[in-house]
Amino acid sequence: MNFWRFIFCLLTSFLLSNSIQAQSQAELDSLTYSLNALGNDTHRVNRFLDLGIGYYRTNPFKGLAFSAEALALSKWLKWREGEARAYRAQAINFTVIGEFDTALTSNQRALQINQKLGLRAEVARNYANIGVIYDMQSDYYQAQEYYMKALGISEEIGDVDGIQRDLGNLGLIYDALADYPRALETYQKALLIAEEQGDSMSAARHLGNMGSLYVIQELYDKAYEVYSKSLEMNIKMHNLSGQANAYGNLGFYYRNLKDYKKAEEHYEIALGLYRKIQDKSGMAINYGNLANLYRTDELYDKSYSYISNALAINRDLGIETSIGHNLGNLGKLYIKLAQDSLRHEKTSNFLFLQKNDILFQMAIGYINQAVEIHEKLGNQSVLISWYSDLVEAYSGIGNYKKALEYHQKFHELNEVVFDRNKAKEIGMLEAKREADLRKRELEFREHERLRFANLQYLVIVIGIFILLVAMLLLVRVNVTRGFLKGLIFLNFILLFEFLLILLDPYIEVLSDRQPILVFAANFVLALIVFPIHQFIQGFAEKRLLKD
Protein backbone atom coordinates (compact mmCIF):
# COMPACT_ATOMS: atom_id res chain seq x y z
CA MET A 1 0.00 0.00 0.00
CA ASN A 2 1.29 3.49 -0.88
CA PHE A 3 2.72 5.03 2.29
CA TRP A 4 1.18 8.48 1.83
CA ARG A 5 -2.25 7.09 1.01
CA PHE A 6 -1.98 4.83 4.07
CA ILE A 7 -1.03 7.75 6.37
CA PHE A 8 -3.98 9.73 5.04
CA CYS A 9 -6.39 6.86 5.69
CA LEU A 10 -4.89 6.33 9.12
CA LEU A 11 -5.19 9.98 10.16
CA THR A 12 -8.81 10.09 9.05
CA SER A 13 -9.55 6.93 11.06
CA PHE A 14 -9.80 9.08 14.20
CA LEU A 15 -13.60 9.40 13.43
CA LEU A 16 -14.61 10.63 16.87
CA SER A 17 -18.14 11.41 17.94
CA ASN A 18 -17.64 15.11 17.22
CA SER A 19 -16.49 14.06 13.71
CA ILE A 20 -12.95 15.16 13.03
CA GLN A 21 -13.14 16.73 9.60
CA ALA A 22 -10.66 18.81 7.68
CA GLN A 23 -11.49 22.47 8.26
CA SER A 24 -10.41 25.37 6.10
CA GLN A 25 -8.12 28.03 7.52
CA ALA A 26 -11.00 30.52 7.27
CA GLU A 27 -13.16 28.29 9.50
CA LEU A 28 -10.33 27.89 12.02
CA ASP A 29 -9.70 31.66 12.02
CA SER A 30 -13.42 32.22 12.66
CA LEU A 31 -13.35 29.80 15.60
CA THR A 32 -10.28 31.57 17.02
CA TYR A 33 -11.94 34.98 16.70
CA SER A 34 -15.07 33.71 18.49
CA LEU A 35 -12.99 33.08 21.63
CA ASN A 36 -13.14 36.84 22.33
CA ALA A 37 -16.87 36.61 23.05
CA LEU A 38 -16.56 33.70 25.52
CA GLY A 39 -15.92 33.76 29.25
CA ASN A 40 -13.82 31.30 31.26
CA ASP A 41 -16.40 28.54 31.26
CA THR A 42 -17.07 25.15 29.64
CA HIS A 43 -18.06 26.86 26.37
CA ARG A 44 -14.56 28.30 26.12
CA VAL A 45 -13.08 24.85 26.87
CA ASN A 46 -15.15 23.36 24.04
CA ARG A 47 -13.97 26.06 21.63
CA PHE A 48 -10.33 25.37 22.57
CA LEU A 49 -11.02 21.67 21.94
CA ASP A 50 -12.58 22.41 18.53
CA LEU A 51 -9.41 24.30 17.60
CA GLY A 52 -7.09 21.70 19.14
CA ILE A 53 -8.64 18.97 17.00
CA GLY A 54 -9.24 21.28 14.02
CA TYR A 55 -5.52 21.96 13.61
CA TYR A 56 -4.37 18.35 13.89
CA ARG A 57 -3.69 18.08 10.14
CA THR A 58 -2.66 21.60 9.16
CA ASN A 59 -0.62 22.60 12.22
CA PRO A 60 -0.42 19.98 14.99
CA PHE A 61 1.79 22.20 17.19
CA LYS A 62 -0.93 24.85 17.16
CA GLY A 63 -3.37 22.05 17.90
CA LEU A 64 -1.26 21.12 20.94
CA ALA A 65 -1.27 24.75 22.14
CA PHE A 66 -5.09 24.96 22.03
CA SER A 67 -5.38 21.51 23.67
CA ALA A 68 -3.12 22.74 26.50
CA GLU A 69 -5.39 25.80 26.96
CA ALA A 70 -8.42 23.48 27.14
CA LEU A 71 -6.69 21.27 29.70
CA ALA A 72 -5.62 24.18 31.94
CA LEU A 73 -9.09 25.76 31.93
CA SER A 74 -10.81 22.39 32.55
CA LYS A 75 -8.60 21.82 35.60
CA TRP A 76 -9.34 25.33 36.89
CA LEU A 77 -13.09 24.69 36.42
CA LYS A 78 -12.68 21.21 37.96
CA TRP A 79 -14.47 19.86 34.87
CA ARG A 80 -13.19 16.28 34.66
CA GLU A 81 -14.92 15.46 31.38
CA GLY A 82 -13.24 18.49 29.79
CA GLU A 83 -9.86 17.31 31.12
CA ALA A 84 -10.35 13.90 29.50
CA ARG A 85 -11.30 15.46 26.16
CA ALA A 86 -8.28 17.80 26.33
CA TYR A 87 -5.94 14.85 26.92
CA ARG A 88 -7.56 13.11 23.94
CA ALA A 89 -7.02 16.19 21.73
CA GLN A 90 -3.38 16.31 22.87
CA ALA A 91 -2.98 12.62 22.03
CA ILE A 92 -4.30 13.13 18.49
CA ASN A 93 -1.78 15.90 17.79
CA PHE A 94 1.11 14.00 19.42
CA THR A 95 0.24 10.97 17.25
CA VAL A 96 0.38 13.07 14.07
CA ILE A 97 3.87 14.43 14.85
CA GLY A 98 5.13 10.96 15.73
CA GLU A 99 5.44 11.42 19.52
CA PHE A 100 3.84 8.05 20.10
CA ASP A 101 4.89 7.49 23.73
CA THR A 102 3.58 10.91 24.76
CA ALA A 103 0.39 10.31 22.77
CA LEU A 104 -0.09 6.99 24.55
CA THR A 105 0.37 8.66 27.96
CA SER A 106 -2.23 11.35 27.12
CA ASN A 107 -4.68 8.73 25.91
CA GLN A 108 -4.17 6.65 29.07
CA ARG A 109 -4.91 9.72 31.22
CA ALA A 110 -8.10 10.40 29.25
CA LEU A 111 -9.05 6.72 29.56
CA GLN A 112 -8.60 6.67 33.36
CA ILE A 113 -10.79 9.77 33.83
CA ASN A 114 -13.53 8.46 31.53
CA GLN A 115 -13.52 5.07 33.26
CA LYS A 116 -14.00 6.80 36.66
CA LEU A 117 -16.81 8.95 35.25
CA GLY A 118 -18.46 5.91 33.64
CA LEU A 119 -18.45 7.53 30.18
CA ARG A 120 -18.36 4.33 28.15
CA ALA A 121 -18.60 5.98 24.71
CA GLU A 122 -15.53 8.07 25.59
CA VAL A 123 -13.73 4.97 26.91
CA ALA A 124 -14.37 3.26 23.55
CA ARG A 125 -13.04 6.35 21.76
CA ASN A 126 -9.87 6.28 23.87
CA TYR A 127 -9.34 2.59 23.09
CA ALA A 128 -9.75 3.39 19.38
CA ASN A 129 -7.16 6.19 19.58
CA ILE A 130 -4.70 3.92 21.40
CA GLY A 131 -5.24 1.44 18.59
CA VAL A 132 -4.33 4.13 16.03
CA ILE A 133 -1.00 4.75 17.83
CA TYR A 134 -0.05 1.07 17.63
CA ASP A 135 -1.37 0.95 14.06
CA MET A 136 0.97 3.78 13.00
CA GLN A 137 3.90 1.89 14.53
CA SER A 138 2.93 -1.22 12.51
CA ASP A 139 2.11 -3.13 15.72
CA TYR A 140 -1.02 -4.45 14.07
CA TYR A 141 -2.02 -7.14 16.55
CA GLN A 142 -1.81 -4.71 19.48
CA ALA A 143 -3.83 -2.21 17.45
CA GLN A 144 -6.40 -4.90 16.65
CA GLU A 145 -6.76 -5.72 20.35
CA TYR A 146 -7.65 -2.12 21.20
CA TYR A 147 -9.94 -1.69 18.21
CA MET A 148 -11.80 -4.85 19.31
CA LYS A 149 -12.14 -3.46 22.85
CA ALA A 150 -13.58 -0.26 21.41
CA LEU A 151 -15.98 -2.18 19.17
CA GLY A 152 -17.15 -4.37 22.07
CA ILE A 153 -18.12 -1.31 24.13
CA SER A 154 -19.69 0.50 21.15
CA GLU A 155 -21.87 -2.53 20.43
CA GLU A 156 -22.85 -2.95 24.11
CA ILE A 157 -24.05 0.67 24.41
CA GLY A 158 -25.54 0.79 20.90
CA ASP A 159 -23.26 3.63 19.74
CA VAL A 160 -23.77 3.40 15.96
CA ASP A 161 -21.13 6.05 15.15
CA GLY A 162 -18.67 4.22 17.38
CA ILE A 163 -19.41 0.86 15.74
CA GLN A 164 -18.82 2.41 12.31
CA ARG A 165 -15.55 4.00 13.47
CA ASP A 166 -14.26 0.77 15.01
CA LEU A 167 -15.20 -1.36 12.00
CA GLY A 168 -13.39 1.11 9.72
CA ASN A 169 -10.27 0.90 11.88
CA LEU A 170 -10.40 -2.90 11.97
CA GLY A 171 -10.71 -2.92 8.19
CA LEU A 172 -7.40 -1.04 7.96
CA ILE A 173 -5.77 -3.63 10.24
CA TYR A 174 -7.02 -6.62 8.22
CA ASP A 175 -5.87 -4.79 5.08
CA ALA A 176 -2.38 -4.30 6.54
CA LEU A 177 -2.26 -7.97 7.57
CA ALA A 178 -3.28 -8.97 4.01
CA ASP A 179 -6.47 -10.60 5.31
CA TYR A 180 -8.36 -9.12 2.36
CA PRO A 181 -11.67 -11.06 2.59
CA ARG A 182 -12.04 -10.06 6.25
CA ALA A 183 -11.02 -6.46 5.49
CA LEU A 184 -13.63 -6.22 2.73
CA GLU A 185 -16.33 -7.74 4.93
CA THR A 186 -15.51 -5.24 7.70
CA TYR A 187 -15.51 -2.23 5.34
CA GLN A 188 -18.86 -3.37 3.90
CA LYS A 189 -20.39 -3.57 7.40
CA ALA A 190 -19.14 -0.05 8.14
CA LEU A 191 -20.46 1.17 4.76
CA LEU A 192 -23.89 -0.34 5.42
CA ILE A 193 -24.14 1.44 8.78
CA ALA A 194 -23.06 4.75 7.21
CA GLU A 195 -25.68 4.39 4.45
CA GLU A 196 -28.42 3.48 6.97
CA GLN A 197 -27.51 6.55 9.04
CA GLY A 198 -27.41 8.80 5.98
CA ASP A 199 -23.75 9.59 6.74
CA SER A 200 -22.51 10.24 3.20
CA MET A 201 -19.12 11.54 4.31
CA SER A 202 -18.25 8.31 6.13
CA ALA A 203 -19.77 6.20 3.35
CA ALA A 204 -17.49 7.91 0.80
CA ARG A 205 -14.47 7.22 3.00
CA HIS A 206 -15.34 3.52 3.40
CA LEU A 207 -15.75 3.25 -0.38
CA GLY A 208 -12.28 4.74 -0.77
CA ASN A 209 -10.81 2.13 1.58
CA MET A 210 -12.59 -0.65 -0.30
CA GLY A 211 -11.18 0.70 -3.59
CA SER A 212 -7.62 0.53 -2.28
CA LEU A 213 -8.28 -3.03 -1.18
CA TYR A 214 -9.45 -3.93 -4.69
CA VAL A 215 -6.36 -2.28 -6.24
CA ILE A 216 -4.03 -4.36 -4.05
CA GLN A 217 -5.83 -7.50 -5.27
CA GLU A 218 -5.70 -6.20 -8.87
CA LEU A 219 -9.50 -6.12 -9.10
CA TYR A 220 -9.29 -2.88 -11.05
CA ASP A 221 -12.87 -2.71 -12.38
CA LYS A 222 -14.30 -2.94 -8.88
CA ALA A 223 -11.72 -0.45 -7.61
CA TYR A 224 -12.66 2.12 -10.28
CA GLU A 225 -16.37 1.64 -9.54
CA VAL A 226 -16.10 2.36 -5.80
CA TYR A 227 -13.49 5.14 -6.25
CA SER A 228 -15.77 6.89 -8.76
CA LYS A 229 -18.78 6.53 -6.46
CA SER A 230 -16.76 7.99 -3.59
CA LEU A 231 -15.77 10.98 -5.76
CA GLU A 232 -19.38 11.55 -6.89
CA MET A 233 -20.60 11.55 -3.28
CA ASN A 234 -17.96 14.08 -2.20
CA ILE A 235 -18.77 16.34 -5.16
CA LYS A 236 -22.49 16.24 -4.22
CA MET A 237 -21.60 17.19 -0.63
CA HIS A 238 -19.22 19.98 -1.83
CA ASN A 239 -16.65 18.33 0.43
CA LEU A 240 -13.34 19.58 -1.00
CA SER A 241 -11.22 17.55 1.41
CA GLY A 242 -13.12 14.38 0.47
CA GLN A 243 -12.80 15.22 -3.23
CA ALA A 244 -9.03 15.67 -2.84
CA ASN A 245 -8.78 12.28 -1.14
CA ALA A 246 -10.90 10.66 -3.88
CA TYR A 247 -8.73 12.13 -6.66
CA GLY A 248 -5.63 10.93 -4.77
CA ASN A 249 -7.15 7.44 -4.63
CA LEU A 250 -7.77 7.52 -8.39
CA GLY A 251 -4.13 8.56 -8.84
CA PHE A 252 -3.14 5.48 -6.85
CA TYR A 253 -5.43 3.39 -9.09
CA TYR A 254 -3.90 4.69 -12.36
CA ARG A 255 -0.36 4.38 -10.99
CA ASN A 256 -0.93 0.68 -10.34
CA LEU A 257 -2.25 0.34 -13.91
CA LYS A 258 1.05 2.01 -14.99
CA ASP A 259 -0.95 4.79 -16.65
CA TYR A 260 1.42 7.43 -15.27
CA LYS A 261 -0.09 10.29 -17.25
CA LYS A 262 -3.56 9.82 -15.74
CA ALA A 263 -2.04 9.14 -12.31
CA GLU A 264 -0.19 12.46 -12.54
CA GLU A 265 -3.40 14.29 -13.60
CA HIS A 266 -5.37 12.97 -10.63
CA TYR A 267 -2.58 13.59 -8.11
CA GLU A 268 -2.26 17.16 -9.41
CA ILE A 269 -6.03 17.74 -9.04
CA ALA A 270 -5.81 16.42 -5.45
CA LEU A 271 -2.83 18.69 -4.76
CA GLY A 272 -4.71 21.71 -6.14
CA LEU A 273 -7.71 21.02 -3.91
CA TYR A 274 -5.53 20.68 -0.83
CA ARG A 275 -3.87 23.99 -1.72
CA LYS A 276 -7.33 25.57 -2.01
CA ILE A 277 -8.35 24.52 1.49
CA GLN A 278 -4.82 25.17 2.82
CA ASP A 279 -4.42 21.59 4.06
CA LYS A 280 -0.64 21.33 4.32
CA SER A 281 -0.65 17.70 5.37
CA GLY A 282 -2.71 16.75 2.32
CA MET A 283 -0.37 18.81 0.11
CA ALA A 284 2.67 16.97 1.51
CA ILE A 285 1.02 13.60 0.90
CA ASN A 286 0.38 14.40 -2.75
CA TYR A 287 3.80 15.97 -3.29
CA GLY A 288 5.17 12.66 -2.01
CA ASN A 289 2.86 10.64 -4.28
CA LEU A 290 3.92 12.67 -7.32
CA ALA A 291 7.61 12.41 -6.36
CA ASN A 292 7.39 8.61 -6.20
CA LEU A 293 5.50 8.57 -9.50
CA TYR A 294 8.16 10.70 -11.23
CA ARG A 295 10.92 8.52 -9.78
CA THR A 296 9.25 5.42 -11.24
CA ASP A 297 8.87 7.24 -14.58
CA GLU A 298 12.58 8.30 -14.43
CA LEU A 299 11.72 12.03 -14.29
CA TYR A 300 14.33 12.61 -11.61
CA ASP A 301 14.41 16.42 -11.55
CA LYS A 302 10.66 16.59 -10.99
CA SER A 303 10.86 13.82 -8.39
CA TYR A 304 13.54 15.74 -6.46
CA SER A 305 11.53 18.97 -6.61
CA TYR A 306 8.32 17.39 -5.34
CA ILE A 307 9.91 15.34 -2.56
CA SER A 308 11.76 18.48 -1.43
CA ASN A 309 8.42 20.33 -1.26
CA ALA A 310 6.93 17.51 0.81
CA LEU A 311 9.94 17.52 3.14
CA ALA A 312 9.75 21.32 3.62
CA ILE A 313 6.05 21.13 4.57
CA ASN A 314 6.55 18.22 6.96
CA ARG A 315 9.49 19.97 8.62
CA ASP A 316 7.31 23.05 9.02
CA LEU A 317 4.55 20.89 10.55
CA GLY A 318 7.06 18.89 12.62
CA ILE A 319 5.67 15.51 11.54
CA GLU A 320 8.64 13.25 12.31
CA THR A 321 7.25 10.10 10.69
CA SER A 322 6.71 11.89 7.38
CA ILE A 323 10.06 13.70 7.58
CA GLY A 324 11.78 10.34 7.97
CA HIS A 325 9.91 8.95 5.01
CA ASN A 326 10.74 11.97 2.81
CA LEU A 327 14.43 11.65 3.67
CA GLY A 328 14.38 7.93 2.94
CA ASN A 329 12.68 8.56 -0.41
CA LEU A 330 15.35 11.12 -1.30
CA GLY A 331 17.87 8.37 -0.60
CA LYS A 332 15.94 6.00 -2.87
CA LEU A 333 15.98 8.66 -5.60
CA TYR A 334 19.80 8.97 -5.46
CA ILE A 335 20.20 5.17 -5.51
CA LYS A 336 18.02 4.97 -8.63
CA LEU A 337 19.97 7.84 -10.24
CA ALA A 338 23.26 6.05 -9.62
CA GLN A 339 21.95 2.66 -10.79
CA ASP A 340 20.42 4.12 -13.97
CA SER A 341 23.64 5.98 -14.68
CA LEU A 342 25.64 2.74 -14.40
CA ARG A 343 23.14 0.91 -16.58
CA HIS A 344 23.06 3.52 -19.36
CA GLU A 345 26.77 4.46 -19.36
CA LYS A 346 28.81 1.27 -19.18
CA THR A 347 32.29 2.76 -18.68
CA SER A 348 35.19 2.55 -16.25
CA ASN A 349 36.00 6.27 -16.59
CA PHE A 350 37.35 7.48 -13.23
CA LEU A 351 35.37 10.76 -13.19
CA PHE A 352 32.15 8.93 -14.05
CA LEU A 353 32.70 6.43 -11.24
CA GLN A 354 33.48 9.28 -8.81
CA LYS A 355 30.20 10.96 -9.77
CA ASN A 356 28.34 7.71 -9.11
CA ASP A 357 30.06 7.30 -5.74
CA ILE A 358 28.84 10.78 -4.80
CA LEU A 359 25.25 9.80 -5.70
CA PHE A 360 25.45 6.67 -3.53
CA GLN A 361 27.02 8.69 -0.68
CA MET A 362 24.16 11.20 -0.91
CA ALA A 363 21.71 8.29 -0.71
CA ILE A 364 23.49 6.90 2.36
CA GLY A 365 23.36 10.31 4.07
CA TYR A 366 19.63 10.77 3.56
CA ILE A 367 18.71 7.17 4.44
CA ASN A 368 20.80 7.26 7.62
CA GLN A 369 18.84 10.35 8.72
CA ALA A 370 15.63 8.43 8.03
CA VAL A 371 16.96 5.46 10.02
CA GLU A 372 17.79 7.72 12.98
CA ILE A 373 14.23 9.12 13.03
CA HIS A 374 12.48 5.77 12.68
CA GLU A 375 14.75 4.05 15.22
CA LYS A 376 13.73 6.76 17.70
CA LEU A 377 10.06 6.25 16.82
CA GLY A 378 10.44 2.46 16.96
CA ASN A 379 8.91 2.00 13.51
CA GLN A 380 10.50 -1.34 12.73
CA SER A 381 8.58 -2.19 9.56
CA VAL A 382 9.88 1.02 7.90
CA LEU A 383 13.42 0.39 9.18
CA ILE A 384 13.47 -2.93 7.33
CA SER A 385 13.02 -1.04 4.06
CA TRP A 386 15.78 1.50 4.88
CA TYR A 387 18.24 -1.26 5.85
CA SER A 388 17.58 -2.93 2.50
CA ASP A 389 18.30 0.37 0.68
CA LEU A 390 21.54 0.84 2.64
CA VAL A 391 22.70 -2.60 1.48
CA GLU A 392 22.28 -1.40 -2.12
CA ALA A 393 23.94 1.96 -1.48
CA TYR A 394 27.01 0.56 0.32
CA SER A 395 27.36 -2.17 -2.31
CA GLY A 396 27.32 0.61 -4.93
CA ILE A 397 30.43 2.27 -3.48
CA GLY A 398 32.15 -1.06 -2.89
CA ASN A 399 31.91 -0.92 0.92
CA TYR A 400 30.88 -4.56 1.24
CA LYS A 401 31.65 -4.70 4.96
CA LYS A 402 28.96 -2.07 5.64
CA ALA A 403 26.65 -3.69 3.09
CA LEU A 404 27.00 -7.00 4.95
CA GLU A 405 26.38 -5.25 8.29
CA TYR A 406 23.07 -3.81 7.07
CA HIS A 407 22.19 -7.05 5.32
CA GLN A 408 22.45 -8.77 8.71
CA LYS A 409 20.46 -5.99 10.39
CA PHE A 410 17.81 -6.33 7.70
CA HIS A 411 17.43 -10.08 8.24
CA GLU A 412 17.59 -9.87 12.05
CA LEU A 413 14.93 -7.17 12.21
CA ASN A 414 12.83 -8.95 9.62
CA GLU A 415 12.92 -12.10 11.75
CA VAL A 416 12.15 -10.13 14.93
CA VAL A 417 9.14 -8.44 13.34
CA PHE A 418 8.01 -11.73 11.78
CA ASP A 419 8.47 -13.67 15.04
CA ARG A 420 6.77 -10.95 17.09
CA ASN A 421 3.80 -10.80 14.74
CA LYS A 422 3.69 -14.59 14.50
CA ALA A 423 3.78 -14.92 18.30
CA LYS A 424 0.96 -12.39 18.63
CA GLU A 425 -0.97 -14.09 15.86
CA ILE A 426 -0.57 -17.46 17.61
CA GLY A 427 -1.57 -15.83 20.90
CA MET A 428 -4.66 -14.33 19.31
CA LEU A 429 -5.55 -17.63 17.65
CA GLU A 430 -5.14 -19.39 21.01
CA ALA A 431 -7.31 -16.76 22.70
CA LYS A 432 -9.88 -17.18 19.91
CA ARG A 433 -9.76 -20.96 20.35
CA GLU A 434 -10.31 -20.61 24.11
CA ALA A 435 -13.14 -18.14 23.50
CA ASP A 436 -14.73 -20.60 21.04
CA LEU A 437 -14.40 -23.40 23.61
CA ARG A 438 -16.00 -21.22 26.30
CA LYS A 439 -18.76 -20.30 23.87
CA ARG A 440 -19.39 -23.95 23.04
CA GLU A 441 -19.39 -24.83 26.74
CA LEU A 442 -21.93 -22.08 27.46
CA GLU A 443 -24.03 -23.22 24.51
CA PHE A 444 -23.89 -26.81 25.81
CA ARG A 445 -24.89 -25.67 29.32
CA GLU A 446 -27.75 -23.62 27.88
CA HIS A 447 -28.83 -26.59 25.78
CA GLU A 448 -28.77 -28.83 28.89
CA ARG A 449 -30.66 -26.21 30.91
CA LEU A 450 -33.36 -25.99 28.23
CA ARG A 451 -33.52 -29.79 27.97
CA PHE A 452 -33.95 -30.10 31.76
CA ALA A 453 -36.55 -27.29 31.76
CA ASN A 454 -38.51 -29.00 28.96
CA LEU A 455 -38.34 -32.26 30.92
CA GLN A 456 -39.78 -30.49 33.96
CA TYR A 457 -42.56 -28.98 31.82
CA LEU A 458 -43.36 -32.47 30.57
CA VAL A 459 -43.52 -33.84 34.14
CA ILE A 460 -45.84 -30.99 35.16
CA VAL A 461 -48.15 -31.56 32.16
CA ILE A 462 -48.23 -35.32 32.85
CA GLY A 463 -48.95 -34.62 36.54
CA ILE A 464 -51.86 -32.29 35.66
CA PHE A 465 -53.17 -34.84 33.15
CA ILE A 466 -52.99 -37.66 35.75
CA LEU A 467 -54.88 -35.50 38.27
CA LEU A 468 -57.57 -34.71 35.69
CA VAL A 469 -57.95 -38.40 34.80
CA ALA A 470 -58.04 -39.27 38.52
CA MET A 471 -60.72 -36.65 39.07
CA LEU A 472 -62.85 -38.03 36.21
CA LEU A 473 -62.51 -41.56 37.61
CA LEU A 474 -63.34 -40.42 41.15
CA VAL A 475 -66.64 -38.89 40.07
CA ARG A 476 -67.71 -42.45 39.20
CA VAL A 477 -67.09 -43.65 42.76
CA ASN A 478 -68.52 -42.49 46.03
CA VAL A 479 -66.43 -39.47 47.12
CA THR A 480 -67.49 -36.41 49.06
CA ARG A 481 -68.20 -33.16 47.26
CA GLY A 482 -65.58 -31.37 49.42
CA PHE A 483 -62.83 -33.81 48.42
CA LEU A 484 -63.73 -33.40 44.74
CA LYS A 485 -63.74 -29.59 45.01
CA GLY A 486 -60.30 -29.72 46.65
CA LEU A 487 -58.95 -31.92 43.89
CA ILE A 488 -60.36 -29.63 41.18
CA PHE A 489 -58.94 -26.56 42.95
CA LEU A 490 -55.50 -28.26 43.15
CA ASN A 491 -55.67 -28.89 39.39
CA PHE A 492 -56.61 -25.26 38.82
CA ILE A 493 -53.67 -23.99 40.94
CA LEU A 494 -51.21 -26.32 39.17
CA LEU A 495 -52.47 -25.26 35.73
CA PHE A 496 -52.29 -21.56 36.67
CA GLU A 497 -48.74 -21.89 38.05
CA PHE A 498 -47.64 -23.88 35.00
CA LEU A 499 -48.95 -21.18 32.65
CA LEU A 500 -47.21 -18.51 34.76
CA ILE A 501 -43.86 -20.33 34.46
CA LEU A 502 -44.39 -20.84 30.72
CA LEU A 503 -45.37 -17.23 29.97
CA ASP A 504 -43.14 -15.43 32.49
CA PRO A 505 -40.26 -14.61 30.04
CA TYR A 506 -42.72 -13.02 27.61
CA ILE A 507 -44.52 -11.12 30.39
CA GLU A 508 -41.15 -9.73 31.57
CA VAL A 509 -40.28 -8.44 28.11
CA LEU A 510 -43.71 -6.93 27.44
CA SER A 511 -44.02 -5.35 30.90
CA ASP A 512 -40.38 -4.24 31.17
CA ARG A 513 -40.60 -5.67 34.74
CA GLN A 514 -42.97 -2.89 35.86
CA PRO A 515 -44.82 -4.36 38.92
CA ILE A 516 -48.23 -2.93 37.95
CA LEU A 517 -47.95 -4.37 34.43
CA VAL A 518 -46.80 -7.79 35.72
CA PHE A 519 -49.77 -7.83 38.14
CA ALA A 520 -52.17 -6.87 35.31
CA ALA A 521 -50.80 -9.68 33.09
CA ASN A 522 -51.21 -12.24 35.90
CA PHE A 523 -54.75 -10.99 36.58
CA VAL A 524 -55.71 -11.40 32.89
CA LEU A 525 -54.26 -14.91 32.93
CA ALA A 526 -56.31 -15.77 36.05
CA LEU A 527 -59.47 -14.47 34.32
CA ILE A 528 -58.77 -16.75 31.34
CA VAL A 529 -58.11 -19.83 33.48
CA PHE A 530 -60.97 -19.30 35.99
CA PRO A 531 -63.81 -20.22 33.55
CA ILE A 532 -61.99 -23.49 32.81
CA HIS A 533 -61.98 -24.19 36.56
CA GLN A 534 -65.69 -23.37 36.81
CA PHE A 535 -66.55 -25.58 33.82
CA ILE A 536 -64.62 -28.60 35.18
CA GLN A 537 -66.08 -28.16 38.65
CA GLY A 538 -69.65 -27.89 37.26
CA PHE A 539 -69.15 -30.93 35.04
CA ALA A 540 -67.77 -33.00 37.94
CA GLU A 541 -70.59 -32.00 40.33
CA LYS A 542 -73.25 -32.90 37.73
CA ARG A 543 -71.69 -36.33 37.22
CA LEU A 544 -71.45 -36.81 40.98
CA LEU A 545 -75.14 -35.85 41.53
CA LYS A 546 -76.21 -37.98 38.58
CA ASP A 547 -74.48 -40.97 40.04
Side-chain angles (χ1 to χ4, degrees), residues 188-244:
Q188 285 171 334
K189 284 180 182 177
L191 175 63
L192 182 62
I193 293 170
E195 288 174 340
E196 287 174 351
Q197 295 295 112
D199 183 356
S200 298
M201 196 169 290
S202 295
R205 181 173 47 253
H206 297 316
L207 285 167
N209 287 338
M210 285 168 63
S212 301
L213 195 63
Y214 287 134
V215 169
I216 292 166
Q217 298 176 88
E218 299 182 1
L219 301 170
Y220 295 116
D221 290 344
K222 286 186 175 181
Y224 185 79
E225 182 186 337
V226 293
Y227 276 156
S228 298
K229 190 175 178 182
S230 173
L231 177 59
E232 286 170 18
M233 291 173 74
N234 281 301
I235 289 171
K236 278 185 183 177
M237 291 183 287
H238 306 288
N239 177 14
L240 294 181
S241 176
Q243 289 176 46

Side-chain angles (χ1 to χ4, degrees), residues 3-152:
F3 172 80
W4 298 108
R5 192 201 65 79
F6 175 70
I7 285 293
F8 184 80
C9 288
L10 209 50
L11 291 177
T12 56
S13 74
F14 278 112
L15 280 179
L16 308 180
S17 64
N18 58 340
S19 295
I20 294 180
Q21 298 167 10
Q23 291 174 294
S24 69
Q25 191 57 50
E27 288 172 321
L28 292 170
D29 289 341
S30 176
L31 286 173
T32 306
Y33 181 76
S34 69
L35 284 168
N36 297 323
L38 298 174
N40 287 329
D41 54 17
T42 57
H43 295 294
R44 190 175 184 84
V45 172
N46 286 327
R47 192 52 46 84
F48 280 139
L49 289 168
D50 290 339
L51 288 160
I53 292 173
Y55 272 107
Y56 90 102
R57 277 178 59 80
T58 58
N59 192 336
F61 287 100
K62 208 164 186 176
L64 282 170
F66 281 116
S67 302
E69 293 274 12
L71 181 61
L73 184 54
S74 294
K75 285 183 174 179
W76 185 74
L77 293 169
K78 293 183 172 55
W79 187 33
R80 295 288 281 162
E81 186 179 344
E83 280 183 53
R85 290 176 60 199
Y87 280 126
R88 175 165 58 82
Q90 278 188 345
I92 290 168
N93 286 286
F94 279 128
T95 303
V96 172
I97 64 176
E99 294 288 341
F100 299 128
D101 289 342
T102 314
L104 198 56
T105 301
S106 295
N107 263 319
Q108 293 288 3
R109 286 174 178 167
L111 178 63
Q112 287 168 7
I113 293 170
N114 287 321
Q115 283 174 331
K116 284 182 182 176
L117 295 175
L119 301 173
R120 300 197 72 204
E122 292 294 320
V123 168
R125 196 169 290 114
N126 296 142
Y127 280 139
N129 287 352
I130 291 169
V132 170
I133 294 168
Y134 286 116
D135 201 336
M136 291 189 74
Q137 296 177 91
S138 305
D139 193 345
Y140 300 126
Y141 291 103
Q142 193 81 352
Q144 183 183 5
E145 182 183 332
Y146 278 95
Y147 288 154
M148 290 298 289
K149 282 184 180 180
L151 179 61

